[in-house]
Amino acid sequence: MKTNHLFIAALLLLGTASCGSNYRMTSQVGSDGSIYREVYARGDSAFIAGDKTHNPYMFQIDTDWQIVKLDSAIKFDFWGEKENLNVKVCRKLPVVDGEYFSVTKGKEYMYPLAIPTERVKKSFRWFYTYYTYTATYKELTDKGPVPLSNYMNKEEQIIWLCGDNSAYNGLSGMELKDKLGEIESKFGEWYSRSQYEINWEVIRDFILAQGDTTNIRRLDESKEAVYKNHFSTQDTWGDAQIDVLCNIFDKIYQTKYYSELYLKNKEAMNNMGEEKIKIAEVLYNSIQFELSMPGKLLSSNARTLNNNSAIWKIDGFRLLAENYTLNAESRVINYWAFGVTLLIILMILGAFIKLYRRTR
């Protein structure tokens, strides 16, 4: 079977389009149902000096958050990738049932990854008190110009982007490799087409602004053929950049029109391309979400459990397929309830004994 490099190329292109950040979020659920939260990040020198316009977080830091500068950078392991963190913000949420973050103006596209809908439910059941935590990160609304469903069905999206253990049950290593290889290829095809569509749209927008109907027509007529002949194969797919695309159209029509258009408007065209692919910035930010709850952790859909804490990895890739929901439940033993129950039983037993003695 041919080795498929599409997905690796996709990751490299996304990485060059955006510099992603890692965040560590710790949340401690209190016995009263409140949450104490800390979010760690790496801030630049300006932010450390007090300039909040250099906010390293995806969300706004309002007066509810306390900023704590760490004495020295903490090297933290994000699933094998180590990063130095030098600042944290913290706050307490007395009641948890809704959204408790807000995004910075101009970064509204970060909303799905930055703002979960959270709820803590406390249920008293005499001998035990149960705590249930849920958080839902919403599916991305902007996934680029090409629907992912054009290339992958829902099951394949969930397997590749979110993970689905039930999909792997009973498969051998070879069978699993073949299955994932096929899905990887489809994901690569989706990204390839998305990258091409964005760069093609940028070129067309600039030609349209000049009112050049002849070259607009040429661009429209050759769109599908250019993609099929130059960008749909794995060997050349990684070169789907604006300047490369302009050179291809030049060769087709024996002109220098497209490359000269790019050279005259290089910065503006690149900026437009980056604006159209804001999705990349969302995909490459990730959160290590750590949750601690009162009592014993009974169940959770977390990727990792560590010392009665549930740990999830949250990133934009997981939000491409569907909403991503975190859930966990814990239980606290109400020892006092056992004591009160025992006392009541003894009192009732004592009353029966007295009654029995009187009737004799």
Side-chain angles (χ1 to χ4, degrees):
M1 186 178 74
K2 271 190 174 183
T3 303
N4 189 344
H5 300 293
L6 285 172
F7 185 60
I8 296 174
L11 293 180
L12 292 174
L13 282 172
L14 282 169
T16 58
S18 173
C19 181
S21 299
N22 293 320
Y23 303 94
R24 181 192 181 199
M25 183 187 298
T26 63
S27 300
Q28 173 67 57
V29 177
S31 58
D32 59 353
S34 65
I35 281 185
Y36 176 74
R37 172 162 290 158
E38 296 181 341
V39 188
Y40 295 77
R42 179 168 181 80
D44 61 18
S45 57
F47 181 78
I48 297 299
D51 185 353
K52 289 188 178 181
T53 62
H54 284 243
N55 178 12
Y57 293 94
M58 293 182 287
F59 55 87
Q60 285 185 328
I61 304 174
D62 55 29
T63 55
D64 292 327
W65 291 96
Q66 178 188 359
I67 301 175
V68 180
K69 301 168 189 175
L70 306 178
D71 293 335
S72 59
I74 300 174
K75 183 166 286 189
F76 194 76
D77 189 344
F78 288 94
W79 314 105
E81 180 183 348
K82 294 185 178 179
E83 186 168 340
N84 291 325
L85 307 178
N86 58 5
V87 66
K88 72 175 180 179
V89 293
C90 46
R91 68 178 293 191
K92 184 175 182 179
L93 302 172
V95 179
V96 182
D97 191 6
E99 297 178 351
Y100 298 95
F101 295 94
S102 57
V103 292
T104 306
K105 186 177 181 181
K107 288 195 172 184
E108 290 80 7
Y109 56 90
M110 282 288 189
Y111 174 86
L113 187 59
I115 306 179
T117 301
E118 301 177 272
R119 187 184 186 197
V120 173
K121 183 180 179 182
K122 179 180 178 181
S123 302
F124 173 71
R125 299 179 189 173
W126 189 244
F127 291 115
Y128 301 98
T129 299
Y130 291 84
Y131 294 84
T132 304
Y133 174 83
T134 57
T136 300
Y137 287 83
K138 297 178 180 62
E139 181 180 353
L140 293 176
T141 54
D142 180 9
K143 303 178 185 179
V146 180
L148 187 56
S149 57
N150 286 5
Y151 294 88
M152 304 169 72
N153 61 41
K154 200 65 176 179
E155 180 187 8
E156 290 170 333
Q157 293 177 36
I158 293 172
I159 290 172
W160 187 251
L161 301 166
C162 305
D164 182 5
N165 292 336
S166 63
Y168 315 137
N169 289 340
L171 295 181
S172 68
M174 291 185 294
E175 291 168 336
L176 182 59
K177 181 181 177 182
D178 288 342
K179 183 172 184 176
L180 292 179
E182 182 181 350
I183 298 175
E184 176 188 21
S185 177
K186 292 179 179 181
F187 182 80
E189 289 172 15
W190 166 76
Y191 184 80
S192 173
R193 186 68 198 211
S194 298
Q195 182 78 7
Y196 177 78
E197 289 287 338
I198 288 169
N199 293 330
W200 183 86
E201 286 174 6
V202 170
I203 297 171
R204 193 179 193 282
D205 287 348
F206 272 79
I207 296 175
L208 191 62
Q210 296 183 4
D212 189 338
T213 56
T214 300
N215 281 294
I216 283 289
R217 186 178 67 253
R218 287 177 173 178
L219 206 67
D220 291 343
E221 290 174 350
S222 57
K223 178 182 179 181
E224 294 303 322
V226 167
Y227 178 76
K228 181 179 179 181
N229 295 331
H230 297 275
F231 298 108
S232 62
T233 61
Q234 63 183 26
D235 295 331
T236 59
W237 176 79
D239 295 326
Q241 302 300 313
I242 297 175
D243 57 337
V244 174
L245 191 52
C246 285
N247 290 333
I248 291 173
F249 283 118
D250 276 346
K251 290 179 182 178
I252 293 174
Y253 296 108
Q254 298 296 304
T255 180
K256 293 184 178 181
Y257 174 85
Y258 298 96
S259 56
E260 289 177 353
L261 175 74
Y262 177 73
L263 290 174
K264 289 177 183 177
N265 303 279
K266 182 177 180 179
E267 184 176 354
M269 293 178 79
N270 287 338
N271 287 341
M272 180 181 286
E274 290 179 8
E275 187 65 29
K276 287 177 177 288
I277 198 168
K278 283 293 186 182
I279 181 180
E281 188 174 346
V282 182
L283 295 179
Y284 264 80
N285 282 327
S286 65
I287 303 166
Q288 179 151 314
F289 190 110
E290 303 173 23
L291 177 71
S292 299
M293 302 181 71
K296 181 180 179 180
L297 188 63
L298 297 179
S299 63
S300 171
N301 66 344
R303 171 176 173 175
T304 304
L305 300 178
N306 183 28
N307 295 328
N308 211 39
S309 294
I311 304 173
W312 293 266
K313 181 180 181 181
I314 306 159
D315 56 29
F317 286 105
R318 285 171 168 78
L319 305 182
L320 280 171
E322 61 179 2
N323 292 348
Y324 189 61
T325 300
L326 323 181
N327 60 67
E329 184 181 33
S330 69
R331 183 181 67 189
V332 172
I333 300 174
N334 297 327
Y335 291 102
W336 61 266
F338 283 93
V340 170
T341 301
L342 179 60
L343 181 60
I344 292 173
I345 292 173
L346 291 175
M347 290 174 64
I348 294 173
L349 182 60
F352 274 110
I353 291 174
K354 285 183 180 181
L355 182 62
Y356 175 75
R357 287 176 177 174
R358 286 176 184 175
T359 56
R360 289 188 64 183

